[in-house]
Amino acid sequence: MTTIDDTAAPSTAKPGARPGGKPKGPRFLVVQGTLPYRGLQLGAVLLVALLLLWASGLPAFRMGQITNVFIIAIAIAGLNLVTGYTGLLSIGHSAFFGLGAYTTGILIVKYEFAPLSTIPVAIGLCFVLGLLVGLPSLRIHGLYLALVTLAVAVSFPEIVRRAEELTGGAAGMVVRSRFLAPPEWTGLVRAERGIWMFWFSAAVLAVVMLLCRNLVRSRFGIAMRATRDNEIAAAANGISVARTKIVAFGISGAITGLAGSLFTMYMGALSPDGSFTLLKSIEFITGLVLGGVATQIGPLVGAFAVVFLPYLTASYTEGPLAGVVFGIVLIVIVFLMPEGIVGRVGILARKVVHIVPADHPRLGRADREGPPEPARAEQ
Amino acid sequence: MAADGALLTLRDVTIGFGGVTALDAVGFDVQPGQILGLIGPNGAGKTTLFNCITRIYQPNSGDIRWQGEDLLRVPAHHLPKLGIARTFQNLALFGGMSVFDNTMSGGSSQARIGATSGLVGWPPSRSRTKKLRAKAWELLERLDLVALADAPAAGLPFGTLKRVELARALMAEPKLLLLDEPAGGLTHSEVKALGELIVSLRDDYGFAALLVEHHMGLVLGISDHVVALDFGNKIFEGSPEQVKHDPAVIAAYLGRAA
Ligand SMILES: Nc1ncnc2c1ncn2[C@@H]1O[C@H](COP(=O)(O)OP(=O)(O)OP(=O)(O)O)[C@@H](O)[C@H]1O
Ligand SMILES: [Mg+2]
């Protein structure tokens, strides 16, 4: 009955025209797990490595900006899980970012933790906060849920201001740079913190993107997307909508909290009105939409956009007009590419290359009836 | 009262919406492996009955049992695990997902879905996924959907999506399959092919089916047993042969047509 034909799997990539000669289909088929597929993957990794090496030679200011991009990208990757893949709009992710940041700051300053050892604590606390914020999603939906997350976002800076003893209140908190020196095993000195944070953020981002990719493709990922698209049908197919939403919120919060933790190490100074207000949440959402909702690389591209676009528009115009130009650029991008930059590129790429899963039943057949149709919703 | 060996037992199921009594003390049994045709004019309460069985609606009174177990205490998402799967009259697919992923989602009850194992790509969970994927491909082949496996569900024709829903429901390896107008959107010859497909699937997988359909040729052709509803009341229960000559059923259809 089962029609997987293993004999065909190894190394049979099939470049060339589609059988049947339909003009519209993709021109290249690449089978997952085959040599050409691995080649493409390796090529992508090499390209990224080269880009990173190039960026690490940039002036300190630029490198710092790119570190910031990586950190924002991690935060947006977290948001993407709950808003992009599970369909729960969160305006509260600045609070996860802030909780992660303050957890790391407080542990270093008050309890003399090494920076790296604060990360698990920050992740854990943000995971729990995520579960809690996810709880109302069982009863309330859509914009009403967004209002709850809005309340979380608005109350976070207020709580930080009140908890003065721990957080330094409105005056903020400074983490002295001697606490933030690169770990000894790196061989870097204290003045080279910028280099350390650049590579460290890049590595964490890579791990986060890999984990998100695993998750989204897993059966839990299917449950997340099913819950997003139709809750009644998801339940009828055996998916616990409640568990899916809450766990997705927890993981999402944990990842954005991790970004906050890195942010403290990067900045060395925290204040409630600086980076943890509603504006930060809006920045994350903007980045997610620009990069591509429910895409795997969208968060990174979106982070580049939200960090660099304001600079770009400011360099061509002056004064308050820059904000207006930035707004216009946003509108134009969203108008031209409602699926986001990565979403759009993905649609174009699939016209040229078509990735086929290795267990596709028509792969090994002599009577190959032609490959599956193109077009994928996401990934 | 106790129906020996019945899969599903409905007794006095009653539900109303405002002034409308959508179901009024409806009761019957579904036996293992049986195809039970559920007919009735528009608004008779057929879909409402499905929604009561699948825990979308809570009946005002009555009793719904699954192999003796009280279904009215079971949450909706546990039904596939018990062996109950359904399709929807007006489609309830996951529009943003591919046909393949839609089908895979039907296997959600077949093995534990772990978030942690999903994150790290844990090998045991991968091998479970591999088995389910093989099953999904098998069903897509069977339902002639392989060529569309990669296409997003949103945008495909209604009749095709009905087959996707069928594939998704079969992923749960159901003992009872609830089909709400599976022939919707099909042409005359396609309806005939669908009838044969349902029977052959039943023969291979051994499920019982509760089949709601307006297409009388299809229902009477493949059902082992027929129940007719009208205005929420059961007006007939018997063989497909008998229902053709039943005055109450004829009156219900003619009365509504006038
Ligand atoms: N959620 C609801 N709220 C209010 N009334 C409802 C609801 N669901 C069903 N009804 C009513 O219950 C009655 C039965 O509807 P139902 O959809 O079960 O009919 P049906 O037999 O499936 O009809 P059709 O053949 O047209 O699909 C109708 O009068 C309908 O308006
Ligand atoms: Mg109906």
Side-chain angles (χ1 to χ4, degrees), chain B residues 17 20 22 40-49 57 89 180-181 214:
Chain B
F17 299 100
V20 186
N42 291 114
K46 305 177 296 292
T47 300
T48 303
L49 187 66
Y57 294 162
Q89 178 175 352
D180 201 345
E181 304 198 10
H214 284 295

Side-chain angles (χ1 to χ4, degrees), chain A residues 5-304:
Chain A
D5 190 344
D6 287 325
T7 54
S11 84
T12 348
K14 301 182 303 313
R18 286 160 57 89
K22 273 188 219 155
K24 276 204 161 174
R27 277 182 291 145
F28 295 100
L29 289 181
V30 179
V31 180
Q32 273 180 1
T34 58
L35 213 58
Y37 181 76
R38 295 273 176 241
L40 280 181
Q41 281 184 323
L42 191 70
V45 170
L46 281 179
L47 183 70
V48 169
L50 281 177
L51 282 174
L52 282 175
L53 274 176
W54 169 75
S56 69
L58 290 172
F61 164 70
R62 280 269 172 253
M63 202 160 75
Q65 274 182 326
I66 295 177
T67 307
N68 189 28
V69 167
F70 292 161
I71 292 171
I72 304 278
I74 296 169
I76 298 177
L79 178 67
N80 195 19
L81 290 182
V82 83
T83 297
Y85 288 104
T86 319
L88 307 171
L89 177 59
S90 168
I91 319 179
H93 267 53
S94 57
F96 296 108
F97 194 64
L99 181 62
Y102 269 95
T103 303
T104 290
I106 291 167
L107 287 178
I108 294 175
V109 172
K110 305 265 172 192
Y111 301 97
E112 303 193 353
F113 272 53
L116 291 186
S117 57
T118 66
I119 288 179
V121 186
I123 289 179
L125 283 178
C126 291
F127 180 72
V128 173
L129 179 66
L131 298 181
L132 291 178
V133 176
L135 272 181
S137 71
L138 305 187
R139 295 249 155 224
I140 47 183
H141 295 261
L143 288 177
Y144 298 97
L145 177 67
L147 276 183
V148 172
T149 63
L150 173 72
V152 175
V154 171
S155 51
F156 181 79
E158 198 52 46
I159 294 169
V160 169
R161 253 175 259 134
R162 296 274 166 87
E164 211 169 333
E165 302 223 325
L166 267 181
T167 63
M173 160 184 257
V174 173
V175 187
R176 308 276 290 278
S177 70
R178 72 187 152 91
F179 291 125
L180 293 174
E184 268 177 34
W185 52 264
T186 58
L188 296 169
V189 298
R190 202 197 290 179
E192 292 170 312
R193 188 175 116 214
I195 299 175
W196 155 244
M197 281 313 295
F198 173 82
W199 286 107
F200 183 54
S201 307
V204 172
L205 174 63
V207 170
V208 164
M209 286 175 72
L210 195 70
L211 292 178
C212 288
R213 179 187 133 103
N214 283 345
L215 186 70
V216 167
R217 293 178 164 200
S218 73
R219 291 171 60 236
F220 189 79
I222 288 181
M224 284 161 58
R225 287 178 283 151
T227 299
R228 171 194 69 190
D229 286 356
N230 191 326
E231 287 189 18
I232 288 179
N237 283 286
I239 292 163
S240 168
V241 171
R243 173 173 172 268
T244 304
K245 285 181 174 181
I246 291 183
V247 173
F249 239 115
I251 298 174
S252 169
I255 291 175
T256 301
L258 166 63
S261 179
L262 293 185
F263 182 77
T264 298
M265 301 180 203
Y266 162 72
M267 285 293 278
L270 303 174
S271 81
D273 300 314
S275 291
F276 313 111
T277 62
L278 195 55
L279 278 178
K280 202 68 182 176
S281 287
I282 291 170
E283 184 181 330
F284 295 157
I285 294 170
T286 309
L288 181 60
V289 172
L290 287 181
V293 174
T295 62
Q296 288 174 32
I297 315 204
L300 177 57
V301 174
F304 267 104

Side-chain angles (χ1 to χ4, degrees), chain B residues 1 56 72 90 110 142 157-158 166 215:
Chain B
M1 174 106 182
I56 294 170
L72 297 180
N90 294 315
Q110 292 299 94
R142 186 83 187 251
F158 193 80
L166 185 55
H215 209 284

